[in-house]
Amino acid sequence: MGAKERINELIELLNYHSYRYYVLDDPQISDAEYDKLFNELIELEKTYPEFLQGHSPTKKVGHKVLTDFRKVKHQSPMLSLSNIFNKEELIAFDERIKKLISVNSIEYVCEPKLDGLAVSIHYKNGIFDSAATRGDGKIGEDITENVRTIRNVPLKMFGNNHPEHFEIRGEIVIPNREFEKLNDIKLKNNEKTFANPRNAAAGSVRQLDSKITAQRPLYFYAHSFTNEHLFKTHTEALDTVKKWGFNTAKNILVSSSTNEIERYFNELIGKREKLDVNIDGVVIKVNDTKLQTSLGNIARSPRWAVAWKPPAYTATTLVKNISVQVGRTGVLTPVAELKPVELGGVEIKRATLHNASELERKDVRVGDTVVIERAGDVIPAIIRVLIEKRPPNTKTFKFTEKCPDCDHKTQRDGVNFVCDNKSCNSRIKEALKHFVSRDAMNIDGMGEKLIEQLVDKGLVKKFSDIYVLDPDELSMLDRMGKKSSHNIIEAINMSKKVSFDKFIYALGIDLVGSENAKELAKRFNSIDEIKDNKLKSNKLNGSSFVITGSFDEMSRDEISSLIEENSGKVSSSVSKKTNYLLAGKDAGSKLDKAKELGIKIIDLKDLFKLIGN
Ligand code: IVH
């Protein structure tokens, strides 16, 4: 097969596999296999730039840096939705529509209202063409290069019978889990964190350098179409665009009954904190597209759709005190102690102030009246201070120079103050709470109160002390007895059997969360092996290798890992950029090509020499 055909084949393959992965949620190949094909394509495109294709997945890595976003006029305005807040308003909406078109019943489609950034994307003959933000609804900004990088936006639509020109609209979001990871990285790099996933998505999309956008965990969910008349119903539209390679929101209801819609709303809003993507309500749309057209729009919103919003979980209250909590890594977290207030059915007494920088920025003071909000987080946050209500003589909060627990001198580390005393009781308690938690050693019954007593009484200073606890001593503690002490010892013994990755996670090593722990457990068999792990070298930094043929001593995968562990790069095809061709037995066309390009050809021994082994 010639290079051109292989390039086309790889593009089709990779696009197909990302569709399996993102849209069907049913991958057929592993990430590693995907990466291998992807690397092969990169190399081929580098060698044969004349065969580059606009819809190649390698185009998803970002483009040149812009100085500004060009303004674009929308072909039809991007509307907003009018809001309703309760069942009565829903019934009124339904009655109004039924009256307008003189029918007894109307079929609706209900979808989650995704809390993201609205975007319009254009396709020409099935190929990704351009994208724009909503802007003021009439004029948006050209974010083509940024949207091109979004992993689940197809650069070429699947299937057939696409219209020559297709405009699809939807939301760009960052899922909650990914949002947390993103903020963790920001914290580690001493950068300002994003306040919520929506801001993170908006900030990521509005980057003049699309290479930054490419690295952000953005996803697109389609929810409306300007050529809606192509489809009889909105549900038909959703089904069709799924086949064309787009993601649409999960949890959709089709119903004519306001009772059923109410149940759907309550259920979805009830579990909103558990959803992958933040939602800020439910959108209720007339399903029949002809009826949509005949209902038309009022001012800036369609008459055929409405957004049902949950009550906002915000409240105002008074800051009684600001206390400081010491985390297991020594980070000091300021916490506002509040005059108790009800928020979305829960009594709130405290709100996090996140970190020192955040507190400095908001300048929350004891005595202030503040607006608090409970979003996806379990712990509510202070969103702002009502300065006009600030009493005289309040003072800016100052972190003490000493740890509130152990009196050790604290240090400023980026946005945080930290206590770096490893034997600080607070740190030990928090580390233990993590150690025994469900996703770690899962020691049932060893709750906060017990850990606090064990540490305060000096019975436990380190993890291993848990495993030599004396049942009699345990039964003497507050709120303990023979029975509960026995149960806890049993749970402690059970925990010796947890899987290796949970054990690694339990140790609470910096940067080793549950995902990294799983990776470590895959590669190593014991803690001793991890401890022996030779530090990666930089010996092969900047060198790119291609491996060909077979080797008696090691498998090709082992050789690849060895090269990568020493900071080298392994590609699957030879190009001008290749530094070394590692040739084994029965090397074939790659060897010929390397010779032709004058690339250095080495064997395993040479590789070991390069590494200094
Ligand atoms: S339909 C005519 N469906 O909410 C408007 N919009 O206030 C058609 N949104 O900026 C919009 N999830 O981007 C629709 N499932 C959904 C939605 C949704 C979020 C956004 C939309 C718009 C805003 C409307």
Side-chain angles (χ1 to χ4, degrees), residues 113-125:
K113 185 168 188 302
L114 303 177
D115 193 10
L117 185 81
V119 64
S120 139
I121 312 180
H122 292 265
Y123 285 80
K124 298 243 167 91
N125 296 311

Side-chain angles (χ1 to χ4, degrees), residues 131-199:
T133 59
R134 179 175 187 276
D136 64 4
K138 290 202 177 91
I139 292 177
E141 283 175 325
D142 183 340
I143 48 166
T144 305
E145 293 312 324
N146 307 60
V147 173
R148 194 196 296 283
T149 70
I150 297 178
R151 55 209 73 201
N152 69 339
V153 169
L155 296 184
K156 184 180 177 197
M157 285 156 65
F158 281 88
N160 36 40
N161 299 331
H162 326 123
E164 199 175 302
H165 173 209
F166 184 57
E167 181 182 3
I168 187 163
R169 292 175 176 179
E171 298 293 298
I172 297 175
V173 299
I174 289 187
N176 292 324
R177 217 173 353 117
E178 306 273 3
F179 166 72
E180 277 160 29
K181 280 194 223 156
L182 185 64
N183 261 356
D184 281 349
I185 297 169
K186 292 222 140 217
L187 265 180
K188 295 260 148 61
N189 296 341
N190 287 335
E191 288 168 342
K192 210 174 141 249
T193 53
F194 291 112
N196 54 47
R198 208 205 94 82
N199 285 5

Side-chain angles (χ1 to χ4, degrees), residues 189-355:
N189 296 341
N190 287 335
E191 288 168 342
K192 210 174 141 249
T193 53
F194 291 112
N196 54 47
R198 208 205 94 82
N199 285 5
S204 301
V205 171
R206 294 195 80 269
Q207 288 285 339
L208 291 166
D209 183 353
S210 50
K211 292 194 193 68
I212 299 179
T213 313
Q215 288 158 15
R216 299 285 169 80
L218 296 166
Y219 292 82
F220 169 73
Y221 288 91
H223 58 54
S224 35
F225 320 93
T226 40
N227 2 22
E228 190 106 32
H229 61 267
L230 283 172
F231 316 100
K232 278 204 188 74
T233 58
H234 183 64
T235 37
E236 184 190 312
L238 293 175
D239 290 340
T240 311
V241 301
K242 264 193 254 175
K243 293 196 189 109
W244 287 348
F246 297 94
N247 277 102
T248 56
K250 293 185 199 122
N251 297 311
I252 286 183
L253 171 80
V254 179
S255 172
S256 311
S257 141
T258 50
N259 284 338
E260 227 169 78
I261 294 174
E262 181 192 27
R263 217 174 308 133
Y264 166 84
F265 173 84
N266 286 335
E267 207 175 287
L268 202 61
I269 295 304
K271 63 178 182 197
R272 84 196 259 213
E273 274 153 35
K274 295 196 193 90
L275 300 174
D276 316 337
V277 176
N278 276 355
I279 64 167
D280 58 348
V282 157
V283 184
I284 301 152
K285 307 174 180 177
V286 170
N287 199 9
D288 186 312
T289 52
K290 278 215 186 89
L291 291 186
Q292 289 182 2
T293 314
S294 53
L295 284 161
N297 307 326
I298 353 159
R300 280 156 178 250
S301 8
R303 233 183 236 111
W304 48 267
V306 77
W308 189 351
K309 299 266 207 138
Y313 288 162
T314 58
T316 48
T317 189
L318 197 75
V319 177
K320 294 200 307 194
N321 193 16
I322 295 175
S323 60
V324 174
Q325 285 178 349
V326 189
R328 70 187 157 86
T329 56
V331 169
L332 306 187
T333 305
V335 176
E337 314 276 349
L338 306 169
K339 181 171 167 218
V341 62
E342 203 233 68
L343 200 54
V346 186
E347 189 190 25
I348 306 297
K349 293 180 192 150
R350 332 172 85 199
T352 179
L353 289 159
H354 300 291
N355 54 50

Side-chain angles (χ1 to χ4, degrees), residues 14 21-22 27-38:
L14 287 161
Y21 185 90
Y22 291 113
Q28 278 181 330
I29 59 171
S30 68
D31 291 2
E33 284 169 296
Y34 183 91
D35 291 346
K36 211 166 153 196
L37 295 173
F38 194 82

